[in-house]
Amino acid sequence: MVQTQSIVDPYKAIHVKPNPDGSITRTKNWPKTPATPDPPHHIQVLSKDVVINQSNNVWVRIFLPREALDQSSSSKLPLIVYYHGGGFVICSADLVSFHNFCFDIAEKLQAVVVSVEYRLAPENRLPAAYDDAMEALHWIRDTKDEWLTKYVDFSKCFLMGSSAGGNIAYHAGLRGALEVDDLFPIKIQGLILHQPFFGGVKRCESELRLLNDLILPLCATDLLWNLSLPVGADRNHEYSNPTVEGGTLIVLDQIKRLGWKVMVIGCDGDPLIDRQIEVVKLMEEKGVKVMNHFASGGFHGVEFTNPSRAEAVISQVKNFVFSSN
């Protein structure tokens, strides 16, 4: 008999405590690190924080490879706009794990990375995070910040995210595909979805197989969707389940016409892998240029604790960004 009920406390699993008024208290102090705009010379990547929208606490952390400061180099760098994970409910762009990941991407790819801090649910339910993702793109479009205007090739922009950030990158991509002219000089070339967080009402095999997963049990994903989706929506809402009939499917046709490419990265130790495979198949059916890297073993977020897995993913991202097709 297949077990279908989790034995895990979902609130403890995501490190939050429910309050009587329906709000939550985040109970874990995740380790954070400040930006380093002027680090010691042996540090190969500079970083700084810039506020975009003070009232919504939307800001970005920009990562600039030191090599770009070499005046003898005239070539500009690709731009990676990165959205962090946390199930839309927890975490922030200044966590050590996300900072180090973006640092390594900037160094290994020789790319400028703009990591976006967006509003969290349930205080700000979806589509707030998508709105903030687009506000960041509009800021990049309009900014006079020298780290971007001087060193970035805006015609080589990729949207990337991990977990919930992968979901945000996907939906920001859908919006961006509909306002290509308005985003100029930014030209999005593709999407990089790293263990993206998608869901659905009907249970998939990997969710049941990893029902009580130590990192991301099924009850935790259910709770995260309950806290982040619009009030009254279920997991077949288009924000959660891209395969449902709706307007987002039509936008994939536009992504095909634009010639964007998409890469989906995951592993079979992640309860979300079957959802990710479904999205890959959907894009393939729509004629979108999509590639996938699904590794054996691992777990959700493995790249943030396993340096060799992180190195492998960054190598895949590098090949994707610099490939000609």
Side-chain angles (χ1 to χ4, degrees):
M1 183 176 178
V2 177
Q3 184 181 0
T4 59
Q5 294 295 320
S6 176
I7 59 174
V8 180
D9 181 333
Y11 289 94
K12 288 183 178 179
I14 65 171
H15 306 288
V16 304
K17 183 176 70 173
N19 299 320
D21 62 358
S23 65
I24 61 168
T25 299
R26 295 170 179 85
T27 58
K28 183 168 181 176
N29 292 319
W30 302 86
K32 298 182 179 183
T33 187
T36 53
D38 188 23
H41 194 72
H42 68 279
I43 303 297
Q44 293 304 304
V45 177
L46 291 66
S47 59
K48 69 176 178 180
D49 296 339
V50 181
V51 175
I52 293 178
N53 184 326
Q54 190 167 14
S55 63
N56 286 341
N57 193 30
V58 177
W59 51 272
V60 295
R61 177 163 292 183
I62 307 173
F63 296 81
L64 175 68
R66 184 180 291 279
E67 193 172 311
L69 302 178
D70 181 358
Q71 296 301 315
S72 66
S73 176
S74 59
S75 60
K76 293 193 173 185
L77 306 180
L79 173 64
I80 311 291
V81 182
Y82 179 80
Y83 306 103
H84 68 80
F88 306 107
V89 171
I90 56 175
C91 301
S92 58
D94 55 359
L95 294 196
V96 170
S97 55
F98 298 129
H99 175 96
N100 290 347
F101 192 54
C102 291
F103 181 107
D104 290 345
I105 291 172
E107 182 179 23
K108 302 280 175 50
L109 271 66
Q110 287 299 293
V112 175
V113 178
V114 176
S115 179
V116 180
E117 174 67 358
Y118 52 86
R119 288 171 290 170
L120 298 178
E123 296 88 349
N124 299 279
R125 290 175 176 267
L126 295 174
Y130 306 152
D131 295 340
D132 297 343
M134 293 307 297
E135 184 172 22
L137 289 177
H138 295 154
W139 176 84
I140 293 169
R141 174 197 64 192
D142 298 334
T143 187
K144 300 296 189 286
D145 189 290
E146 190 175 81
W147 281 21
L148 298 183
T149 60
K150 189 173 181 179
Y151 300 113
V152 164
D153 181 350
F154 290 99
S155 71
K156 296 179 180 176
C157 175
F158 295 83
L159 307 186
M160 177 178 179
S162 302
S163 191
N167 177 297
I168 294 170
Y170 176 82
H171 284 280
L174 295 179
R175 292 191 183 189
L178 297 177
E179 52 177 275
V180 172
D181 294 337
D182 187 53
L183 285 175
F184 184 83
I186 297 173
K187 187 175 181 182
I188 298 171
Q189 297 289 343
L191 310 178
I192 303 167
L193 312 182
H194 173 225
Q195 293 191 314
F197 184 31
F198 295 119
V201 170
K202 185 178 179 180
R203 304 304 189 188
C204 59
E205 189 277 334
S206 61
E207 290 174 337
L208 295 175
R209 174 171 54 87
L210 297 166
L211 179 72
N212 290 307
D213 182 68
L214 293 176
I215 304 298
L216 194 64
L218 183 59
C219 63
T221 61
D222 286 355
L223 176 59
L224 290 167
W225 287 122
N226 184 54
L227 292 171
S228 58
L229 287 170
V231 174
D234 65 21
R235 295 187 305 276
N236 275 347
H237 191 283
E238 61 184 3
Y239 296 161
S240 169
N241 188 350
T243 67
V244 297
E245 290 296 329
T248 59
L249 295 181
I250 298 173
V251 184
L252 289 178
D253 294 328
Q254 171 69 354
I255 288 177
K256 175 188 175 183
R257 286 191 292 270
L258 291 169
W260 292 6
K261 54 186 181 179
V262 180
M263 180 167 68
V264 182
I265 303 169
C267 64
D268 65 10
D270 181 1
L272 302 178
I273 187 171
D274 285 354
R275 301 289 181 193
Q276 298 155 5
I277 291 172
E278 287 175 357
V279 173
V280 169
K281 290 179 178 177
L282 170 67
M283 288 189 283
E284 288 175 339
E285 291 169 359
K286 287 289 186 177
V288 175
K289 291 186 290 187
V290 58
M291 60 187 70
N292 66 80
H293 292 281
F294 292 124
S296 298
F299 48 86
H300 191 74
V302 61
E303 290 79 16
F304 299 112
T305 58
N306 185 316
S308 63
R309 294 292 285 258
E311 185 175 349
V313 164
I314 292 172
S315 177
Q316 292 160 359
V317 172
K318 182 176 183 178
N319 292 336
F320 179 78
V321 168
F322 290 101
S323 66
S324 58
N325 49 44

